[in-house]
Amino acid sequence: MKTRLYMTLLLVGILLAAVSLVVNARGVRLAGIDQGYQPVQGVAYSHRLHAGELAIPCLYCHSGAEKSRRAGIPAVSLCMNCHRFVTATMGAVREEERQAQEAGREPRMLVSAELAKLYAAQGLDERLEPDPALTATPIAWKRVHNLPDFVAFDHRPHVAAGIVCQSCHGAIETMERVRQEATLSMGWCVTCHRDLTGRTEAGKPVNPPLDCATCHY
């Protein structure tokens, strides 16, 4: 009788352990695979707004992708091409103009909380002029797509072949905060190379190499 009870409890325990393993295994990631990684950045930069709504080309900010291995992070001076004039949301600016008109005064310059971080990083005062009393501090961006040191990925041949950024980075133009969309594993890359062999991208024939030395050298 006791033996039968012990066997029943043992089988129930094994069954529960198996169910728990299956459920928890869904959230397990292989070492080095950070799919879904979406860190909070030093400035809440919106790709949805800039790349999506405003349709700013990726290469305007990430010009390194066309001529170097790394796409790079744009210098704040590039941001200032627009944000010397655009200092807050259009909605906030229009509301200030309405209130100023009702009060019979000149509209005040508005600066959004996130753009204030951009200006502070350059040591700019409230008039957006350099202030010797302020210390410029680089924005602490967190890298999202990070490959192992033994992988020599190069943006140049991909851009030259007409491969769009979304192929690896997902629908970046819809992301309020950037996340790693793909696994970026070796199998994922090799599958893409195989699928593209003999195809045409952006009017160009594509024949990506499959030998190991392409990425590991």
Side-chain angles (χ1 to χ4, degrees), residues 7-82:
M7 288 298 295
T8 301
L9 291 175
L10 179 61
L11 290 174
V12 170
I14 292 175
L15 179 61
L16 291 174
V19 171
S20 176
L21 181 62
V22 170
V23 171
N24 292 322
R26 295 176 182 176
V28 175
R29 296 176 180 173
L30 296 176
I33 294 181
D34 296 317
Q35 186 178 27
Y37 180 52
Q38 191 177 30
V40 175
Q41 299 288 358
V43 172
Y45 178 87
S46 170
H47 277 79
R48 178 201 59 77
L49 172 63
H50 293 81
E53 188 175 329
L54 300 177
I56 298 175
C58 299
L59 289 174
Y60 177 76
C61 295
H62 302 288
S63 58
E66 198 171 29
K67 53 192 176 186
S68 70
R69 284 181 55 187
R70 296 174 177 83
I73 297 175
V76 290
S77 58
L78 185 69
C79 306
M80 291 300 288
N81 287 345
C82 295

Side-chain angles (χ1 to χ4, degrees), residues 69 149-154 158 186 189 193 209 211-217:
R69 284 181 55 187
D149 292 340
F150 53 79
V151 178
F153 178 83
D154 195 327
H158 294 81
M186 185 173 76
C189 295
H193 277 218
D211 56 285
C212 303
T214 300
C215 300
H216 305 289
Y217 59 87

Side-chain angles (χ1 to χ4, degrees), residues 72-150:
I73 297 175
V76 290
S77 58
L78 185 69
C79 306
M80 291 300 288
N81 287 345
C82 295
H83 288 295
R84 176 164 290 280
F85 310 101
V86 180
T87 60
T89 64
M90 182 61 70
V93 171
R94 285 178 175 171
E95 178 60 21
E96 168 59 21
E97 289 175 346
R98 185 189 66 79
Q99 293 182 10
Q101 186 176 19
E102 289 180 355
R105 59 173 173 80
E106 289 295 318
R108 293 189 297 265
M109 177 180 175
L110 299 181
V111 177
S112 71
E114 296 305 314
L115 285 173
K117 298 175 185 178
L118 175 68
Y119 304 141
Q122 301 171 83
L124 303 180
D125 61 19
E126 58 185 14
R127 296 172 301 169
L128 304 187
E129 297 295 336
D131 187 343
L134 299 176
T135 302
T137 306
I139 297 170
W141 297 107
K142 296 177 183 176
R143 189 168 185 173
V144 178
H145 303 84
N146 194 19
L147 296 177
D149 292 340
F150 53 79

